[in-house]
Amino acid sequence: LSVKIPMSFRKLSLSRRRMALREATEFDSEAWEAISPGEDLLSLADAMVESAVGIMPVPLGIASGFLIDNETFHVPMAVEEPSVIAACSFGAKLVKTGGGFTTWADDPVMGVQIFLEDAAHEEKITDDLIQEYISNDLVSMEKRGGGYRGFAAERLEKSNVLKIEVYIDVRDAMGANLLNTIGEKLKPALSSVTGGTALMAILTNEAKKRCAGARFKIPVKAFGGEGLKVAKRVVLANQITKEDSARAVTHNKGIMNGITSLALATANDTRAIEAAVHAYASRKGTYQGLTEYRVEGNFLIGEVELPLAFAVIGGAVGYHPASRLALKVLGNPDAVRLARIAAAVGLAQNLTALRALVSEGIQHGHMRLHANRLAYQAGARGDEIDLLADDIWKGQRFHVEEAKNLLERLRQQ
Ligand code: NAD
């Protein structure tokens, strides 16, 4: 049974909500400490979402030493999964042996969709007509170098609904609010000109015009003595993601381990980015892996391209103090640069995962990091964690009770 909370919980003050929760959960002091930052952050949480009761602290780490377009970046990542930051750093190190990542990105163009029923005159929709209705909303964006970038109309076959997509360059923002505002504005205008009735208008998270990519070329000897063999196995493993969607889902999840962690650290909309990426993975009719790999002579070449609607302003981005810090660590990039960094991070994560999969297997590294968490669970704190994790790893027995015994022995020493 779920705990009992008072009626109209959302209408209570933050402190009353917290008090009610504390009582309902019979006060678990460690949990309480975890969700309770200082007053300022509590107020921020309250201002950000309805019915706030605290924060959910996720580890924030830094994957260091990314060489991207001849510049070094240290990448902030927020993630609960133990292996992600380690894997990204290792991937970055491998790619450095070949001179780092080369990246690219489209302009930050997003689309808003307007759906019209019974529209008879779609031919009357023109660029001029659309711009006439939305020019006032785009004044600031045009000053920043963004603005209107065209439209597309399509009749949906089964519903016979007319879909109009209007494209806007939103510069450093994700663009959700501007696009939704524009969509609402265009609803009556497009209805009247086409003789139709507006059903709805909303931005599309597809972000197909906002792609970013990254590439590397590394000497196969970066993989050690049997480097060429490992590289060829990486290529084959990648090929399988084009043929088997069950494998592709996990493959792409690995890419997103890196990208979503960067998105969360910078307070970007992780759900929007993930939805776009997975839709893109299905664009050829089946769900496929998003990376390309090939061997050329003694080099392995890897590449990824995917939609990445990363922002550096808007919503909580750049406003939440943790996001501000993360952006500072990256040297305060613009949105396009951040998307390019994200592509490199996704590719680094994928390279590490594929290399491990076709050599020692993925479980090796995971279990090493799992030992750290187990050490904490057994009661180790501070320096004890690494020492105990080493002992757990040496014994290869991953049980809390055994870890507790090992900790006792460690403390006696
Ligand atoms: P926002 O509403 O905060 O708007 C961004 C603001 O930044 C604008 O007012 C703009 O004028 C200003 N700005 C200043 N400098 C800029 C620059 N250089 N480039 C661009 N804009 C600049 O943020 P948003 O991007 O419109 O919306 C993002 C938020 O909306 C996120 O929290 C997201 O989760 C949420 N949202 C998402 C969806 C969705 O994904 N379907 C729908 C609704 C809301």
Side-chain angles (χ1 to χ4, degrees):
L1 280 186
S2 183
V3 296
K4 281 205 169 63
I5 57 167
M7 297 271 286
S8 307
F9 189 68
R10 70 185 185 87
K11 290 187 186 154
L12 299 180
S13 67
L14 172 67
S15 60
R16 285 195 178 276
R17 276 196 303 270
R18 279 171 60 79
M19 232 183 309
L21 180 72
R22 210 175 144 129
E23 272 166 31
T25 53
E26 291 158 2
F27 191 53
D28 168 345
S29 63
E30 196 186 6
W32 197 252
E33 206 179 307
I35 68 160
S36 306
E39 281 304 315
D40 283 355
L41 275 190
L42 271 180
S43 301
L44 177 60
D46 196 27
M48 284 174 75
V49 300
E50 185 175 289
S51 299
V53 290
I55 58 158
M56 168 67 193
V58 173
L60 175 69
I62 292 187
S64 53
F66 272 79
L67 187 58
I68 302 173
D69 302 321
N70 296 320
E71 215 182 304
T72 298
F73 289 92
H74 307 298
V75 181
M77 305 178 83
V79 63
E80 89 298 341
E81 191 177 340
S83 56
V84 172
I85 298 175
C88 276
S89 299
F90 185 66
K93 198 167 134 191
L94 284 175
V95 171
K96 220 179 196 175
T97 64
F101 296 90
T102 306
T103 68
W104 61 93
D106 295 332
D107 284 339
V109 174
M110 297 293 282
V112 56
Q113 303 185 300
I114 302 106
F115 295 93
L116 304 174
E117 290 178 272
D118 308 319
H121 299 290
E122 57 198 84
E123 76 286 353
K124 290 191 179 166
I125 305 173
T126 63
D127 286 316
D128 286 346
L129 177 95
I130 292 174
Q131 288 186 85
E132 190 187 314
Y133 284 98
I134 64 175
S135 58
N136 280 347
D137 296 291
L138 292 179
V139 174
S140 307
M141 209 46 98
E142 277 166 3
K143 280 190 193 142
R144 297 183 191 109
Y148 181 70
R149 296 292 183 268
F151 81 97
E154 180 191 343
R155 196 162 284 273
L156 302 180
E157 217 171 279
K158 284 197 185 139
S159 59
N160 199 33
V161 163
L162 180 64
K163 174 185 84 172
I164 299 121
E165 272 184 19
V166 174
Y167 304 112
I168 309 288
D169 182 326
V170 294
R171 294 286 92 197
D172 288 323
M174 176 201 182
N177 285 313
L178 179 63
L179 276 268
N180 286 339
T181 303
I182 284 173
E184 291 297 333
K185 268 257 167 88
L186 286 174
K187 260 179 12 184
L190 296 182
S191 302
S192 100
V193 77
T194 59
T197 308
L199 178 68
M200 58 183 170
I202 182 153
L203 97 151
T204 166
N205 287 113
E206 188 185 35
K208 65 181 176 195
K209 290 180 181 284
R210 201 173 177 175
C211 284
R215 183 186 302 125
F216 66 75
K217 179 177 181 178
I218 53 173
V220 295
K221 65 174 190 283
F223 293 138
E226 299 226 287
L228 187 57
K229 190 173 150 200
V230 174
K232 284 181 176 166
R233 285 165 65 83
V234 164
V235 173
L236 182 58
N238 190 65
Q239 175 55 34
I240 288 169
T241 74
K242 311 291 179 186
E243 300 172 48
D244 182 61
S245 60
R247 174 77 266 280
V249 172
T250 321
H251 181 88
N252 292 341
K253 185 269 180 186
I255 296 171
M256 298 313 288
N257 274 343
I259 293 173
T260 304
S261 305
L262 171 59
L264 189 57
T266 51
N268 266 280
D269 186 331
T270 54
R271 292 83 55 212
I273 293 168
E274 298 239 344
V277 167
H278 294 298
Y280 193 73
S282 299
R283 72 195 182 286
K284 293 176 184 160
T286 57
Y287 186 94
Q288 298 186 9
L290 287 160
T291 47
E292 305 294 337
Y293 284 90
R294 64 181 192 279
V295 170
E296 269 181 25
N298 280 323
F299 290 90
L300 174 69
I301 296 166
E303 193 173 310
V304 72
E305 188 173 82
L306 65 186
L308 288 172
F310 267 81
V312 294
I313 193 160
V317 183
Y319 167 70
H320 191 290
S323 162
R324 217 162 52 219
L325 179 79
L327 291 171
K328 192 161 190 187
V329 170
L330 290 166
N332 291 318
D334 64 10
V336 168
R337 171 58 75 92
L338 183 57
R340 290 165 64 155
I341 295 169
V345 170
L347 186 57
Q349 169 78 33
N350 179 255
L351 171 66
T352 304
L354 281 190
R355 190 214 64 82
L357 276 174
V358 302
S359 26
E360 75 273 8
I362 205 84
Q363 207 50 5
H364 185 267
H366 275 255
M367 291 313 281
R368 181 64 190 81
L369 287 157
H370 179 59
N372 283 25
R373 209 171 40 190
L374 203 57
Y376 179 88
Q377 261 180 294
R381 294 293 182 270
D383 292 346
E384 282 178 347
I385 293 179
D386 267 352
L387 293 171
L388 181 57
D390 278 345
D391 287 352
I392 296 169
W393 181 246
K394 276 180 213 144
Q396 283 292 299
R397 294 176 68 86
F398 299 90
H399 307 288
V400 182
E401 285 314 314
E402 297 209 20
K404 281 183 181 164
N405 293 339
L406 286 174
L407 179 61
E408 224 167 277
R409 237 177 289 161
L410 191 75
R411 283 177 176 166
Q412 278 161 12
Q413 283 165 23

